[in-house]
Structures are given as C-alpha cells and as structure tokens.
Amino acid sequence: RLVAEMKWDGVAPSNYTLSMLVKLFSRGKRLDQAFSIVDELSAEFGLRPNVHVYTCLIQGCFKNQLPVKALSLLDMMLANGVHPDERAYGVLVRGHLNMGDLDKAVEIVESAYQGQSPAGVDPACLREVMTKLRKRSSEAAAALWSKVQTPQPQPKQWTSLRHHSLSPGCGVPGRGLMLHNMKPFGPTLETQE
C-alpha cells in the first residue's frame, strides 16, 4: 500500500525506502516479498541497491533461517560492485555464529580483512569469534588473530609538510611562508573590501 501511495504521489523510492521495506517484510516472515520489492522497485526506478539494502536482506535471511541465501547475497554484492562494509560483514559473521557455524564465521572474518581496503568487522564481533575459536583451539585463534592484524597508519610527518611548503617552486609563491606562519590561504574577511 505504501509503495502504491508513493507511486500515486509521484515520489520515487530510495535505497533507504528499500531498506525499510526489506526490514518490514523480513520481520513479518515474508522474505520472498522483500526480494521481490527490491527487484521490482530497482527495475522500475533505476535504483541500484546499496550496501544497506543488501545488509538488510542478509539480516532477513538469517531471521528466516536461510544462511546459504545470506551468503549468496555477499557474492551478489561483490558481483554488482557493491563493497560490503564492517556492518555487512558483522551481520554475516553473527548470523553464522547464531546458526552454530563457527567455521563459516571464521572464513567470513578472514575475507573481511582481505583486499586493498579491507572493511573488517566491529571489535565486539571479532572478540566474539575469537572467544569461541579459542575455546576450540588456541592455535586456530592465534592464526586468525595474525590474519586480521592490520598495520596502523603512521602519523603524518609535519616536518616534511613544512619542508615541502617552504621549498622553492611549490606551485604558489608565498603560500609556503603563509602556511609556516599559520595564516590562511587566500583573502580573509579582514582584507576584503
């Protein structure tokens, strides 16, 4: 009914609309309708489901005891160029933990930390996986821990920035000196007339 009213009023749905509809249908154990509405509205309005829509669908799959379908959504996301974020991976990991599949949860954690810009999982989720894995095997927990450790970014070297901005030929004469003296670039309110 809501979608019909939106169409009647000429209001185009957004990914937020899709996410809310998926949540409503999933909670009502009408997951097939959730998938149908996403397909229908995406085609009709040229929407491309984003990570939030996919995450809601994944959550709905777990609420309806469909872990295989949830995992297939991860593949679909990647195939459609949608990159899972920390929340999406967390929903997948927790869903598999709740289903009693620690091995699959570990596999998903490992994949969350791979690639050029890994999303990872939230610390509480990682702690939950590590605790359960440690109970099974401390060696396996140590191996996972070594895989998820990411190098911490180094702090910026202000001396090199200052050196660069004061070096000759930096692009704009005088700007390096202004940066060194902490004056703003360009005109300020005091100098404009």
Side-chain angles (χ1 to χ4, degrees):
R1 194 178 108 199
L2 173 66
V3 175
E5 286 180 22
M6 288 177 68
K7 288 178 184 179
W8 177 260
D9 291 338
V11 177
S14 65
N15 274 307
Y16 180 78
T17 309
L18 291 178
S19 296
M20 292 300 104
L21 290 170
V22 167
K23 284 181 181 184
L24 287 171
F25 283 124
S26 296
R27 288 180 185 153
K29 303 286 185 193
R30 295 169 23 196
L31 190 61
D32 288 339
Q33 284 182 289
F35 278 92
S36 295
I37 199 78
V38 169
D39 290 342
E40 175 189 323
L41 294 179
S42 296
E44 186 174 342
F45 292 95
L47 288 172
R48 183 175 168 247
N50 64 14
V51 67
H52 303 293
V53 174
Y54 280 107
T55 302
C56 289
L57 286 168
I58 290 168
Q59 215 164 22
C61 288
F62 283 114
K63 285 182 185 197
N64 289 274
Q65 307 295 309
L66 298 169
V68 174
K69 192 163 188 157
L71 206 51
S72 71
L73 283 166
L74 176 63
D75 295 333
M76 188 185 298
M77 285 175 74
L78 296 170
N80 290 330
V82 178
H83 300 286
D85 60 6
E86 182 180 89
R87 173 137 171 74
Y89 278 119
V91 168
L92 280 162
V93 169
R94 282 196 173 96
H96 281 92
L97 286 176
N98 292 337
M99 301 293 294
D101 193 349
L102 178 59
D103 293 330
K104 187 54 78 176
V106 168
E107 186 181 316
I108 294 166
V109 168
E110 288 174 346
S111 68
Y113 285 89
Q114 292 176 353
Q116 282 189 305
S117 53
V121 295
D122 66 89
C125 184
L126 181 58
R127 193 170 27 256
E128 188 176 347
V129 171
M130 293 299 295
T131 300
K132 289 183 182 214
L133 190 57
R134 193 175 303 117
K135 286 178 184 176
R136 182 195 290 172
S137 164
S138 59
E139 292 83 21
L144 177 61
W145 185 250
S146 69
K147 290 178 184 178
V148 301
Q149 292 302 302
T150 55
Q152 297 298 314
Q154 296 298 315
K156 299 266 185 221
Q157 297 294 323
W158 289 103
T159 55
S160 64
L161 174 66
R162 199 165 98 191
H163 172 73
H164 171 72
S165 62
L166 290 175
S167 62
C170 66
V172 181
R175 290 240 170 142
L177 184 59
M178 290 174 75
L179 178 63
H180 177 68
N181 293 330
M182 302 304 281
K183 294 180 184 171
F185 294 146
T188 63
L189 292 174
E190 297 150 4
T191 60
Q192 291 177 342
E193 297 184 67

